[in-house]
Each structure stands twice: as structure tokens, then as C-alpha cells.
């Protein structure tokens, strides 16, 4: 691999691939029903898994699992009846992050994950302060000309097999992590991506908690 993975700031960063499955009640923001996270670190060009976490989440009463949600994810209301609450699940995930290490979250269409995290920020204040990398602008830069940049399209382009439980958070995290590593490998041929700062400039998304206060006036 090229200069990007040998950049000291890149090597110091833990990249946490994250995915939520949600239900979206009318008049409310999306409510999480499952979360998965996979932490990766790169040392001397070699990737290692630094930890993973997954949890079902019981949605609030105003956001029941619908038949459409079940068709998409396979999750049913019965499965989630005894799941941890959002406060329990997300505070447990939040405790996995330590103050002495730099992190970046990685997600496909990271705005979706950023919004879920922001609306749950009372339960995960550390997580809510972590900025994100979005695989979509990174893929557009490195693999121009695709018909679209949906996850399934990118998986097919890179020959990453579709998991049988696609649209469950753990499976989607695994394939998004594979995609991210393929994109970072491809970045060795991009002179514009020589270090972490360049990567963040291209594909970074500022956590909503880190944005200027006036942007909070329209907390949709």
C-alpha cells in the first residue's frame, strides 16, 4: 500500500465501521432496532480487528416494527420485545470508546448513521462526538463512472459476496468493512489521498455535535 496507510495519523486512528437498522415512525426521526460496530486499525500497512459489538435494540412504543421493516431486515416485533432499550444498548457501545485514542466512524451513506447517533446522543455522548468517513464520496473518487454508488453496486464491483442476511447490521458492517479496505487499497494509486487529512477532506463528515451551534436550531 502507499503513503496513506503509512501516515502516522492514519495509523494512530481506530476506524470503527458502524451500521444501524431502524424503524421510521411518522413524525419522528428513525429509531434504532439494531446496531453493529467493527473496529479496525492499520499498523505498518497491515489491518487488524480491534473489537466488535452488536446488539438488538427495543424500539419505543411510538416506533413499532412494521411489516415493511421485517421484510427489509427480517427482524420482528417479537424478537425485539426483550432486547435492550436504546439507552442500555448505546451506552454499552459508548463505553467501548476511550478518551486517549483518536477514532473515525466509517459508514456507507454516513449521514444516516450520523443522524441516528445524534438523536440518541444522550445515551452515547462519546460516540456522538466522533466524526465520520463516508464510503460513497470515497468510492466516487476512486471508482468513477459507476451507474450508482449503492452498497450492493459497490459490493458487486469489488467482487465482495452478498451475505445471506444482508440488511442486518452485523452483516452490513462486515461487507462495509470489506468495501472500506478495498477502497483504502485503491487509494495507493490516488496522489490526492496521501494522508489522513486528505482522506477526511474528501470523504469526511463532521459529527452533528461538532457542528456550529446555530445548526442545532433545526434539529430534524
Amino acid at each position: 500500500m502507499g503513503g496513506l496507510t503509512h501516515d502516522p495519523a492514519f495509523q494512530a486512528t481506530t476506524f470503527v465501521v458502524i451500521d444501524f437498522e431502524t424503524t421510521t415512525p411518522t413524525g419522528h426521526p428513525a429509531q434504532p432496532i439494531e446496531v453493529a460496530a467493527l473496529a479496525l486499525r492499520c499498523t505498518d500497512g497491515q489491518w487488524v480487528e480491534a473489537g466488535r459489538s452488536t446488539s438488538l435494540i427495543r424500539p419505543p412504543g411510538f416506533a413499532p416494527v412494521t411489516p415493511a421493516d421485517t421484510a427489509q431486515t427480517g427482524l420482528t416485533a417479537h424478537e425485539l420485545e426483550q432486547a435492550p432499550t436504546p439507552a442500555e444498548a448505546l451506552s454499552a457501545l459508548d463505553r467501548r470508546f476511550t478518551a486517549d485514542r483518536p477514532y473515525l466512524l466509517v459508514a456507507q451513506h454516513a449521514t444516516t448513521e450520523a443522524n441516528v447517533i445524534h438523536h440518541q446522543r444522550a445515551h452515547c455522548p462519546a460516540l456522538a462526538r466522533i466524526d465520520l468517513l463516508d464510503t460513497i464520496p470515497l468510492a466516487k473518487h476512486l471508482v468513477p463512472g459507476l451507474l450508482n454508488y449503492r452498497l450492493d453496486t459497490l459490493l458487486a464491483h469489488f467482487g465482495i459476496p452478498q451475505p445471506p442476511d444482508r440488511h442486518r447490521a452485523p452483516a452490513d458492517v462486515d461487507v462495509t468493512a470489506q468495501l472500506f479496505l478495498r477502497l483504502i487499497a485503491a487509494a495507493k494509486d490516488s496522489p490526492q489521498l496521501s494522508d489522513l487529512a486528505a482522506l477526511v477532506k474528501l470523504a469526511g463528515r463532521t459529527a452533528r455535535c461538532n457542528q456550529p451551534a446555530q445548526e442545532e436550531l433545526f434539529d430534524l
Side-chain angles (χ1 to χ4, degrees), residues 120-146:
Q120 299 291 331
R121 62 192 181 278
H123 310 313
C124 51
L127 178 64
R129 289 286 182 185
I130 301 173
D131 292 333
L132 305 96
L133 289 175
D134 193 332
T135 52
I136 292 178
L138 183 57
K140 287 181 176 180
H141 175 78
L142 294 169
V143 193
L146 296 185

mmCIF file with all atom_site columns, all heavy atoms in Angstrom, residues 120-146:
data_model
loop_
_atom_site.group_PDB
_atom_site.id
_atom_site.type_symbol
_atom_site.label_atom_id
_atom_site.label_alt_id
_atom_site.label_comp_id
_atom_site.label_asym_id
_atom_site.label_entity_id
_atom_site.label_seq_id
_atom_site.pdbx_PDB_ins_code
_atom_site.Cartn_x
_atom_site.Cartn_y
_atom_site.Cartn_z
_atom_site.occupancy
_atom_site.B_iso_or_equiv
_atom_site.pdbx_formal_charge
_atom_site.auth_seq_id
_atom_site.auth_comp_id
_atom_site.auth_asym_id
_atom_site.auth_atom_id
_atom_site.pdbx_PDB_model_num
ATOM 1   N N   . GLN A 1 120 ? -29.717 10.040 19.408  1.00 0.00 ? 120 GLN A N   1
ATOM 2   C CA  . GLN A 1 120 ? -29.535 9.199  20.594  1.00 0.00 ? 120 GLN A CA  1
ATOM 3   C C   . GLN A 1 120 ? -28.369 9.683  21.454  1.00 0.00 ? 120 GLN A C   1
ATOM 4   O O   . GLN A 1 120 ? -27.908 8.972  22.342  1.00 0.00 ? 120 GLN A O   1
ATOM 5   C CB  . GLN A 1 120 ? -29.292 7.748  20.166  1.00 0.00 ? 120 GLN A CB  1
ATOM 6   C CG  . GLN A 1 120 ? -30.417 7.113  19.378  1.00 0.00 ? 120 GLN A CG  1
ATOM 7   C CD  . GLN A 1 120 ? -31.660 6.879  20.206  1.00 0.00 ? 120 GLN A CD  1
ATOM 8   O OE1 . GLN A 1 120 ? -31.585 6.677  21.423  1.00 0.00 ? 120 GLN A OE1 1
ATOM 9   N NE2 . GLN A 1 120 ? -32.820 6.892  19.567  1.00 0.00 ? 120 GLN A NE2 1
ATOM 10  N N   . ARG A 1 121 ? -27.901 10.901 21.234  1.00 0.00 ? 121 ARG A N   1
ATOM 11  C CA  . ARG A 1 121 ? -26.661 11.384 21.841  1.00 0.00 ? 121 ARG A CA  1
ATOM 12  C C   . ARG A 1 121 ? -26.681 11.400 23.360  1.00 0.00 ? 121 ARG A C   1
ATOM 13  O O   . ARG A 1 121 ? -25.622 11.308 23.988  1.00 0.00 ? 121 ARG A O   1
ATOM 14  C CB  . ARG A 1 121 ? -26.317 12.774 21.303  1.00 0.00 ? 121 ARG A CB  1
ATOM 15  C CG  . ARG A 1 121 ? -27.347 13.867 21.619  1.00 0.00 ? 121 ARG A CG  1
ATOM 16  C CD  . ARG A 1 121 ? -27.054 15.116 20.784  1.00 0.00 ? 121 ARG A CD  1
ATOM 17  N NE  . ARG A 1 121 ? -27.999 16.216 21.045  1.00 0.00 ? 121 ARG A NE  1
ATOM 18  C CZ  . ARG A 1 121 ? -29.201 16.312 20.485  1.00 0.00 ? 121 ARG A CZ  1
ATOM 19  N NH1 . ARG A 1 121 ? -29.637 15.363 19.662  1.00 0.00 ? 121 ARG A NH1 1
ATOM 20  N NH2 . ARG A 1 121 ? -29.991 17.343 20.753  1.00 0.00 ? 121 ARG A NH2 1
ATOM 21  N N   . ALA A 1 122 ? -27.858 11.491 23.956  1.00 0.00 ? 122 ALA A N   1
ATOM 22  C CA  . ALA A 1 122 ? -27.909 11.465 25.428  1.00 0.00 ? 122 ALA A CA  1
ATOM 23  C C   . ALA A 1 122 ? -27.418 10.130 25.973  1.00 0.00 ? 122 ALA A C   1
ATOM 24  O O   . ALA A 1 122 ? -26.916 10.067 27.106  1.00 0.00 ? 122 ALA A O   1
ATOM 25  C CB  . ALA A 1 122 ? -29.345 11.723 25.899  1.00 0.00 ? 122 ALA A CB  1
ATOM 26  N N   . HIS A 1 123 ? -27.553 9.069  25.178  1.00 0.00 ? 123 HIS A N   1
ATOM 27  C CA  . HIS A 1 123 ? -27.134 7.741  25.610  1.00 0.00 ? 123 HIS A CA  1
ATOM 28  C C   . HIS A 1 123 ? -25.702 7.408  25.190  1.00 0.00 ? 123 HIS A C   1
ATOM 29  O O   . HIS A 1 123 ? -25.126 6.447  25.705  1.00 0.00 ? 123 HIS A O   1
ATOM 30  C CB  . HIS A 1 123 ? -28.064 6.668  25.026  1.00 0.00 ? 123 HIS A CB  1
ATOM 31  C CG  . HIS A 1 123 ? -29.511 6.952  25.224  1.00 0.00 ? 123 HIS A CG  1
ATOM 32  N ND1 . HIS A 1 123 ? -30.032 7.349  26.440  1.00 0.00 ? 123 HIS A ND1 1
ATOM 33  C CD2 . HIS A 1 123 ? -30.565 6.889  24.356  1.00 0.00 ? 123 HIS A CD2 1
ATOM 34  C CE1 . HIS A 1 123 ? -31.339 7.525  26.313  1.00 0.00 ? 123 HIS A CE1 1
ATOM 35  N NE2 . HIS A 1 123 ? -31.679 7.261  25.080  1.00 0.00 ? 123 HIS A NE2 1
ATOM 36  N N   . CYS A 1 124 ? -25.150 8.161  24.253  1.00 0.00 ? 124 CYS A N   1
ATOM 37  C CA  . CYS A 1 124 ? -23.816 7.829  23.724  1.00 0.00 ? 124 CYS A CA  1
ATOM 38  C C   . CYS A 1 124 ? -23.035 9.113  23.442  1.00 0.00 ? 124 CYS A C   1
ATOM 39  O O   . CYS A 1 124 ? -22.706 9.403  22.283  1.00 0.00 ? 124 CYS A O   1
ATOM 40  C CB  . CYS A 1 124 ? -23.940 6.980  22.460  1.00 0.00 ? 124 CYS A CB  1
ATOM 41  S SG  . CYS A 1 124 ? -25.058 7.655  21.187  1.00 0.00 ? 124 CYS A SG  1
ATOM 42  N N   . PRO A 1 125 ? -22.729 9.894  24.466  1.00 0.00 ? 125 PRO A N   1
ATOM 43  C CA  . PRO A 1 125 ? -22.081 11.195 24.243  1.00 0.00 ? 125 PRO A CA  1
ATOM 44  C C   . PRO A 1 125 ? -20.700 11.092 23.611  1.00 0.00 ? 125 PRO A C   1
ATOM 45  O O   . PRO A 1 125 ? -20.314 11.966 22.831  1.00 0.00 ? 125 PRO A O   1
ATOM 46  C CB  . PRO A 1 125 ? -22.013 11.797 25.652  1.00 0.00 ? 125 PRO A CB  1
ATOM 47  C CG  . PRO A 1 125 ? -22.135 10.628 26.582  1.00 0.00 ? 125 PRO A CG  1
ATOM 48  C CD  . PRO A 1 125 ? -23.004 9.646  25.900  1.00 0.00 ? 125 PRO A CD  1
ATOM 49  N N   . ALA A 1 126 ? -19.939 10.050 23.933  1.00 0.00 ? 126 ALA A N   1
ATOM 50  C CA  . ALA A 1 126 ? -18.617 9.909  23.311  1.00 0.00 ? 126 ALA A CA  1
ATOM 51  C C   . ALA A 1 126 ? -18.764 9.565  21.827  1.00 0.00 ? 126 ALA A C   1
ATOM 52  O O   . ALA A 1 126 ? -18.114 10.177 20.969  1.00 0.00 ? 126 ALA A O   1
ATOM 53  C CB  . ALA A 1 126 ? -17.810 8.830  24.031  1.00 0.00 ? 126 ALA A CB  1
ATOM 54  N N   . LEU A 1 127 ? -19.616 8.615  21.532  1.00 0.00 ? 127 LEU A N   1
ATOM 55  C CA  . LEU A 1 127 ? -19.863 8.230  20.140  1.00 0.00 ? 127 LEU A CA  1
ATOM 56  C C   . LEU A 1 127 ? -20.359 9.422  19.316  1.00 0.00 ? 127 LEU A C   1
ATOM 57  O O   . LEU A 1 127 ? -19.966 9.605  18.160  1.00 0.00 ? 127 LEU A O   1
ATOM 58  C CB  . LEU A 1 127 ? -20.886 7.097  20.102  1.00 0.00 ? 127 LEU A CB  1
ATOM 59  C CG  . LEU A 1 127 ? -21.320 6.571  18.736  1.00 0.00 ? 127 LEU A CG  1
ATOM 60  C CD1 . LEU A 1 127 ? -20.142 5.940  18.001  1.00 0.00 ? 127 LEU A CD1 1
ATOM 61  C CD2 . LEU A 1 127 ? -22.468 5.581  18.892  1.00 0.00 ? 127 LEU A CD2 1
ATOM 62  N N   . ALA A 1 128 ? -21.209 10.231 19.918  1.00 0.00 ? 128 ALA A N   1
ATOM 63  C CA  . ALA A 1 128 ? -21.811 11.357 19.196  1.00 0.00 ? 128 ALA A CA  1
ATOM 64  C C   . ALA A 1 128 ? -20.803 12.441 18.840  1.00 0.00 ? 128 ALA A C   1
ATOM 65  O O   . ALA A 1 128 ? -21.099 13.302 18.010  1.00 0.00 ? 128 ALA A O   1
ATOM 66  C CB  . ALA A 1 128 ? -22.951 11.959 20.021  1.00 0.00 ? 128 ALA A CB  1
ATOM 67  N N   . ARG A 1 129 ? -19.632 12.402 19.439  1.00 0.00 ? 129 ARG A N   1
ATOM 68  C CA  . ARG A 1 129 ? -18.596 13.406 19.150  1.00 0.00 ? 129 ARG A CA  1
ATOM 69  C C   . ARG A 1 129 ? -17.579 12.918 18.123  1.00 0.00 ? 129 ARG A C   1
ATOM 70  O O   . ARG A 1 129 ? -16.647 13.648 17.784  1.00 0.00 ? 129 ARG A O   1
ATOM 71  C CB  . ARG A 1 129 ? -17.866 13.777 20.442  1.00 0.00 ? 129 ARG A CB  1
ATOM 72  C CG  . ARG A 1 129 ? -18.703 14.609 21.407  1.00 0.00 ? 129 ARG A CG  1
ATOM 73  C CD  . ARG A 1 129 ? -18.837 16.027 20.909  1.00 0.00 ? 129 ARG A CD  1
ATOM 74  N NE  . ARG A 1 129 ? -19.591 16.890 21.826  1.00 0.00 ? 129 ARG A NE  1
ATOM 75  C CZ  . ARG A 1 129 ? -19.915 18.141 21.552  1.00 0.00 ? 129 ARG A CZ  1
ATOM 76  N NH1 . ARG A 1 129 ? -19.551 18.679 20.405  1.00 0.00 ? 129 ARG A NH1 1
ATOM 77  N NH2 . ARG A 1 129 ? -20.610 18.857 22.411  1.00 0.00 ? 129 ARG A NH2 1
ATOM 78  N N   . ILE A 1 130 ? -17.734 11.715 17.622  1.00 0.00 ? 130 ILE A N   1
ATOM 79  C CA  . ILE A 1 130 ? -16.756 11.161 16.686  1.00 0.00 ? 130 ILE A CA  1
ATOM 80  C C   . ILE A 1 130 ? -17.176 11.496 15.256  1.00 0.00 ? 130 ILE A C   1
ATOM 81  O O   . ILE A 1 130 ? -18.313 11.224 14.856  1.00 0.00 ? 130 ILE A O   1
ATOM 82  C CB  . ILE A 1 130 ? -16.633 9.639  16.869  1.00 0.00 ? 130 ILE A CB  1
ATOM 83  C CG1 . ILE A 1 130 ? -16.195 9.303  18.297  1.00 0.00 ? 130 ILE A CG1 1
ATOM 84  C CG2 . ILE A 1 130 ? -15.627 9.074  15.860  1.00 0.00 ? 130 ILE A CG2 1
ATOM 85  C CD1 . ILE A 1 130 ? -16.209 7.826  18.615  1.00 0.00 ? 130 ILE A CD1 1
ATOM 86  N N   . ASP A 1 131 ? -16.268 12.077 14.501  1.00 0.00 ? 131 ASP A N   1
ATOM 87  C CA  . ASP A 1 131 ? -16.543 12.390 13.101  1.00 0.00 ? 131 ASP A CA  1
ATOM 88  C C   . ASP A 1 131 ? -16.568 11.105 12.271  1.00 0.00 ? 131 ASP A C   1
ATOM 89  O O   . ASP A 1 131 ? -16.168 10.028 12.733  1.00 0.00 ? 131 ASP A O   1
ATOM 90  C CB  . ASP A 1 131 ? -15.512 13.367 12.563  1.00 0.00 ? 131 ASP A CB  1
ATOM 91  C CG  . ASP A 1 131 ? -15.633 14.750 13.187  1.00 0.00 ? 131 ASP A CG  1
ATOM 92  O OD1 . ASP A 1 131 ? -16.751 15.117 13.603  1.00 0.00 ? 131 ASP A OD1 1
ATOM 93  O OD2 . ASP A 1 131 ? -14.607 15.460 13.263  1.00 0.00 ? 131 ASP A OD2 1
ATOM 94  N N   . LEU A 1 132 ? -17.039 11.248 11.030  1.00 0.00 ? 132 LEU A N   1
ATOM 95  C CA  . LEU A 1 132 ? -17.287 10.079 10.204  1.00 0.00 ? 132 LEU A CA  1
ATOM 96  C C   . LEU A 1 132 ? -16.560 10.161 8.867   1.00 0.00 ? 132 LEU A C   1
ATOM 97  O O   . LEU A 1 132 ? -16.228 11.250 8.391   1.00 0.00 ? 132 LEU A O   1
ATOM 98  C CB  . LEU A 1 132 ? -18.796 9.926  9.930   1.00 0.00 ? 132 LEU A CB  1
ATOM 99  C CG  . LEU A 1 132 ? -19.731 9.872  11.129  1.00 0.00 ? 132 LEU A CG  1
ATOM 100 C CD1 . LEU A 1 132 ? -20.312 11.260 11.427  1.00 0.00 ? 132 LEU A CD1 1
ATOM 101 C CD2 . LEU A 1 132 ? -20.862 8.884  10.892  1.00 0.00 ? 132 LEU A CD2 1
ATOM 102 N N   . LEU A 1 133 ? -16.351 8.995  8.261   1.00 0.00 ? 133 LEU A N   1
ATOM 103 C CA  . LEU A 1 133 ? -15.945 8.867  6.878   1.00 0.00 ? 133 LEU A CA  1
ATOM 104 C C   . LEU A 1 133 ? -17.077 8.195  6.117   1.00 0.00 ? 133 LEU A C   1
ATOM 105 O O   . LEU A 1 133 ? -17.647 7.199  6.591   1.00 0.00 ? 133 LEU A O   1
ATOM 106 C CB  . LEU A 1 133 ? -14.679 8.026  6.739   1.00 0.00 ? 133 LEU A CB  1
ATOM 107 C CG  . LEU A 1 133 ? -13.363 8.628  7.217   1.00 0.00 ? 133 LEU A CG  1
ATOM 108 C CD1 . LEU A 1 133 ? -12.261 7.586  7.090   1.00 0.00 ? 133 LEU A CD1 1
ATOM 109 C CD2 . LEU A 1 133 ? -13.001 9.875  6.406   1.00 0.00 ? 133 LEU A CD2 1
ATOM 110 N N   . ASP A 1 134 ? -17.388 8.718  4.950   1.00 0.00 ? 134 ASP A N   1
ATOM 111 C CA  . ASP A 1 134 ? -18.464 8.175  4.122   1.00 0.00 ? 134 ASP A CA  1
ATOM 112 C C   . ASP A 1 134 ? -17.844 7.437  2.944   1.00 0.00 ? 134 ASP A C   1
ATOM 113 O O   . ASP A 1 134 ? -17.070 8.018  2.172   1.00 0.00 ? 134 ASP A O   1
ATOM 114 C CB  . ASP A 1 134 ? -19.355 9.319  3.633   1.00 0.00 ? 134 ASP A CB  1
ATOM 115 C CG  . ASP A 1 134 ? -20.655 8.856  3.030   1.00 0.00 ? 134 ASP A CG  1
ATOM 116 O OD1 . ASP A 1 134 ? -20.701 7.729  2.495   1.00 0.00 ? 134 ASP A OD1 1
ATOM 117 O OD2 . ASP A 1 134 ? -21.641 9.612  3.089   1.00 0.00 ? 134 ASP A OD2 1
ATOM 118 N N   . THR A 1 135 ? -18.177 6.163  2.782   1.00 0.00 ? 135 THR A N   1
ATOM 119 C CA  . THR A 1 135 ? -17.598 5.385  1.694   1.00 0.00 ? 135 THR A CA  1
ATOM 120 C C   . THR A 1 135 ? -18.091 5.837  0.323   1.00 0.00 ? 135 THR A C   1
ATOM 121 O O   . THR A 1 135 ? -17.436 5.557  -0.690  1.00 0.00 ? 135 THR A O   1
ATOM 122 C CB  . THR A 1 135 ? -17.903 3.891  1.873   1.00 0.00 ? 135 THR A CB  1
ATOM 123 O OG1 . THR A 1 135 ? -19.312 3.711  2.069   1.00 0.00 ? 135 THR A OG1 1
ATOM 124 C CG2 . THR A 1 135 ? -17.155 3.309  3.058   1.00 0.00 ? 135 THR A CG2 1
ATOM 125 N N   . ILE A 1 136 ? -19.219 6.538  0.254   1.00 0.00 ? 136 ILE A N   1
ATOM 126 C CA  . ILE A 1 136 ? -19.750 6.926  -1.063  1.00 0.00 ? 136 ILE A CA  1
ATOM 127 C C   . ILE A 1 136 ? -18.855 7.947  -1.768  1.00 0.00 ? 136 ILE A C   1
ATOM 128 O O   . ILE A 1 136 ? -18.436 7.707  -2.911  1.00 0.00 ? 136 ILE A O   1
ATOM 129 C CB  . ILE A 1 136 ? -21.201 7.418  -0.946  1.00 0.00 ? 136 ILE A CB  1
ATOM 130 C CG1 . ILE A 1 136 ? -22.119 6.246  -0.562  1.00 0.00 ? 136 ILE A CG1 1
ATOM 131 C CG2 . ILE A 1 136 ? -21.662 8.034  -2.264  1.00 0.00 ? 136 ILE A CG2 1
ATOM 132 C CD1 . ILE A 1 136 ? -23.576 6.630  -0.376  1.00 0.00 ? 136 ILE A CD1 1
ATOM 133 N N   . PRO A 1 137 ? -18.538 9.108  -1.169  1.00 0.00 ? 137 PRO A N   1
ATOM 134 C CA  . PRO A 1 137 ? -17.633 10.027 -1.882  1.00 0.00 ? 137 PRO A CA  1
ATOM 135 C C   . PRO A 1 137 ? -16.259 9.430  -2.115  1.00 0.00 ? 137 PRO A C   1
ATOM 136 O O   . PRO A 1 137 ? -15.609 9.737  -3.132  1.00 0.00 ? 137 PRO A O   1
ATOM 137 C CB  . PRO A 1 137 ? -17.582 11.262 -0.978  1.00 0.00 ? 137 PRO A CB  1
ATOM 138 C CG  . PRO A 1 137 ? -18.037 10.787 0.357   1.00 0.00 ? 137 PRO A CG  1
ATOM 139 C CD  . PRO A 1 137 ? -19.001 9.683  0.103   1.00 0.00 ? 137 PRO A CD  1
ATOM 140 N N   . LEU A 1 138 ? -15.805 8.571  -1.225  1.00 0.00 ? 138 LEU A N   1
ATOM 141 C CA  . LEU A 1 138 ? -14.515 7.924  -1.435  1.00 0.00 ? 138 LEU A CA  1
ATOM 142 C C   . LEU A 1 138 ? -14.576 7.022  -2.668  1.00 0.00 ? 138 LEU A C   1
ATOM 143 O O   . LEU A 1 138 ? -13.672 7.033  -3.510  1.00 0.00 ? 138 LEU A O   1
ATOM 144 C CB  . LEU A 1 138 ? -14.133 7.124  -0.187  1.00 0.00 ? 138 LEU A CB  1
ATOM 145 C CG  . LEU A 1 138 ? -12.766 6.441  -0.199  1.00 0.00 ? 138 LEU A CG  1
ATOM 146 C CD1 . LEU A 1 138 ? -11.655 7.457  -0.443  1.00 0.00 ? 138 LEU A CD1 1
ATOM 147 C CD2 . LEU A 1 138 ? -12.547 5.697  1.122   1.00 0.00 ? 138 LEU A CD2 1
ATOM 148 N N   . ALA A 1 139 ? -15.659 6.254  -2.788  1.00 0.00 ? 139 ALA A N   1
ATOM 149 C CA  . ALA A 1 139 ? -15.820 5.382  -3.952  1.00 0.00 ? 139 ALA A CA  1
ATOM 150 C C   . ALA A 1 139 ? -15.979 6.194  -5.234  1.00 0.00 ? 139 ALA A C   1
ATOM 151 O O   . ALA A 1 139 ? -15.440 5.824  -6.287  1.00 0.00 ? 139 ALA A O   1
ATOM 152 C CB  . ALA A 1 139 ? -17.018 4.461  -3.755  1.00 0.00 ? 139 ALA A CB  1
ATOM 153 N N   . LYS A 1 140 ? -16.717 7.301  -5.182  1.00 0.00 ? 140 LYS A N   1
ATOM 154 C CA  . LYS A 1 140 ? -16.881 8.131  -6.377  1.00 0.00 ? 140 LYS A CA  1
ATOM 155 C C   . LYS A 1 140 ? -15.545 8.672  -6.874  1.00 0.00 ? 140 LYS A C   1
ATOM 156 O O   . LYS A 1 140 ? -15.317 8.799  -8.084  1.00 0.00 ? 140 LYS A O   1
ATOM 157 C CB  . LYS A 1 140 ? -17.843 9.284  -6.080  1.00 0.00 ? 140 LYS A CB  1
ATOM 158 C CG  . LYS A 1 140 ? -19.296 8.850  -5.972  1.00 0.00 ? 140 LYS A CG  1
ATOM 159 C CD  . LYS A 1 140 ? -20.200 10.054 -5.697  1.00 0.00 ? 140 LYS A CD  1
ATOM 160 C CE  . LYS A 1 140 ? -21.666 9.630  -5.679  1.00 0.00 ? 140 LYS A CE  1
ATOM 161 N NZ  . LYS A 1 140 ? -22.575 10.777 -5.414  1.00 0.00 ? 140 LYS A NZ  1
ATOM 162 N N   . HIS A 1 141 ? -14.659 8.984  -5.932  1.00 0.00 ? 141 HIS A N   1
ATOM 163 C CA  . HIS A 1 141 ? -13.336 9.482  -6.312  1.00 0.00 ? 141 HIS A CA  1
ATOM 164 C C   . HIS A 1 141 ? -12.469 8.372  -6.895  1.00 0.00 ? 141 HIS A C   1
ATOM 165 O O   . HIS A 1 141 ? -11.761 8.587  -7.898  1.00 0.00 ? 141 HIS A O   1
ATOM 166 C CB  . HIS A 1 141 ? -12.649 10.085 -5.083  1.00 0.00 ? 141 HIS A CB  1
ATOM 167 C CG  . HIS A 1 141 ? -11.238 10.515 -5.326  1.00 0.00 ? 141 HIS A CG  1
ATOM 168 N ND1 . HIS A 1 141 ? -10.909 11.686 -5.977  1.00 0.00 ? 141 HIS A ND1 1
ATOM 169 C CD2 . HIS A 1 141 ? -10.058 9.917  -5.005  1.00 0.00 ? 141 HIS A CD2 1
ATOM 170 C CE1 . HIS A 1 141 ? -9.597  11.800 -6.049  1.00 0.00 ? 141 HIS A CE1 1
ATOM 171 N NE2 . HIS A 1 141 ? -9.053  10.731 -5.469  1.00 0.00 ? 141 HIS A NE2 1
ATOM 172 N N   . LEU A 1 142 ? -12.519 7.198  -6.273  1.00 0.00 ? 142 LEU A N   1
ATOM 173 C CA  . LEU A 1 142 ? -11.604 6.126  -6.648  1.00 0.00 ? 142 LEU A CA  1
ATOM 174 C C   . LEU A 1 142 ? -12.130 5.242  -7.772  1.00 0.00 ? 142 LEU A C   1
ATOM 175 O O   . LEU A 1 142 ? -11.337 4.623  -8.494  1.00 0.00 ? 142 LEU A O   1
ATOM 176 C CB  . LEU A 1 142 ? -11.300 5.263  -5.413  1.00 0.00 ? 142 LEU A CB  1
ATOM 177 C CG  . LEU A 1 142 ? -10.520 5.968  -4.303  1.00 0.00 ? 142 LEU A CG  1
ATOM 178 C CD1 . LEU A 1 142 ? -10.504 5.121  -3.045  1.00 0.00 ? 142 LEU A CD1 1
ATOM 179 C CD2 . LEU A 1 142 ? -9.096  6.275  -4.759  1.00 0.00 ? 142 LEU A CD2 1
ATOM 180 N N   . VAL A 1 143 ? -13.448 5.158  -7.895  1.00 0.00 ? 143 VAL A N   1
ATOM 181 C CA  . VAL A 1 143 ? -14.064 4.287  -8.911  1.00 0.00 ? 143 VAL A CA  1
ATOM 182 C C   . VAL A 1 143 ? -15.101 5.111  -9.671  1.00 0.00 ? 143 VAL A C   1
ATOM 183 O O   . VAL A 1 143 ? -16.310 4.878  -9.548  1.00 0.00 ? 143 VAL A O   1
ATOM 184 C CB  . VAL A 1 143 ? -14.712 3.041  -8.266  1.00 0.00 ? 143 VAL A CB  1
ATOM 185 C CG1 . VAL A 1 143 ? -15.043 2.010  -9.343  1.00 0.00 ? 143 VAL A CG1 1
ATOM 186 C CG2 . VAL A 1 143 ? -13.830 2.434  -7.197  1.00 0.00 ? 143 VAL A CG2 1
ATOM 187 N N   . PRO A 1 144 ? -14.673 6.079  -10.451 1.00 0.00 ? 144 PRO A N   1
ATOM 188 C CA  . PRO A 1 144 ? -15.636 6.934  -11.155 1.00 0.00 ? 144 PRO A CA  1
ATOM 189 C C   . PRO A 1 144 ? -16.382 6.153  -12.239 1.00 0.00 ? 144 PRO A C   1
ATOM 190 O O   . PRO A 1 144 ? -15.898 5.147  -12.760 1.00 0.00 ? 144 PRO A O   1
ATOM 191 C CB  . PRO A 1 144 ? -14.748 8.020  -11.763 1.00 0.00 ? 144 PRO A CB  1
ATOM 192 C CG  . PRO A 1 144 ? -13.409 7.378  -11.914 1.00 0.00 ? 144 PRO A CG  1
ATOM 193 C CD  . PRO A 1 144 ? -13.272 6.444  -10.752 1.00 0.00 ? 144 PRO A CD  1
ATOM 194 N N   . GLY A 1 145 ? -17.584 6.641  -12.537 1.00 0.00 ? 145 GLY A N   1
ATOM 195 C CA  . GLY A 1 145 ? -18.304 6.118  -13.681 1.00 0.00 ? 145 GLY A CA  1
ATOM 196 C C   . GLY A 1 145 ? -19.257 4.975  -13.419 1.00 0.00 ? 145 GLY A C   1
ATOM 197 O O   . GLY A 1 145 ? -19.855 4.445  -14.366 1.00 0.00 ? 145 GLY A O   1
ATOM 198 N N   . LEU A 1 146 ? -19.434 4.561  -12.154 1.00 0.00 ? 146 LEU A N   1
ATOM 199 C CA  . LEU A 1 146 ? -20.408 3.514  -11.873 1.00 0.00 ? 146 LEU A CA  1
ATOM 200 C C   . LEU A 1 146 ? -21.820 4.052  -12.075 1.00 0.00 ? 146 LEU A C   1
ATOM 201 O O   . LEU A 1 146 ? -22.075 5.253  -11.965 1.00 0.00 ? 146 LEU A O   1
ATOM 202 C CB  . LEU A 1 146 ? -20.248 2.995  -10.448 1.00 0.00 ? 146 LEU A CB  1
ATOM 203 C CG  . LEU A 1 146 ? -18.930 2.290  -10.099 1.00 0.00 ? 146 LEU A CG  1
ATOM 204 C CD1 . LEU A 1 146 ? -19.002 1.741  -8.682  1.00 0.00 ? 146 LEU A CD1 1
ATOM 205 C CD2 . LEU A 1 146 ? -18.604 1.187  -11.096 1.00 0.00 ? 146 LEU A CD2 1
#
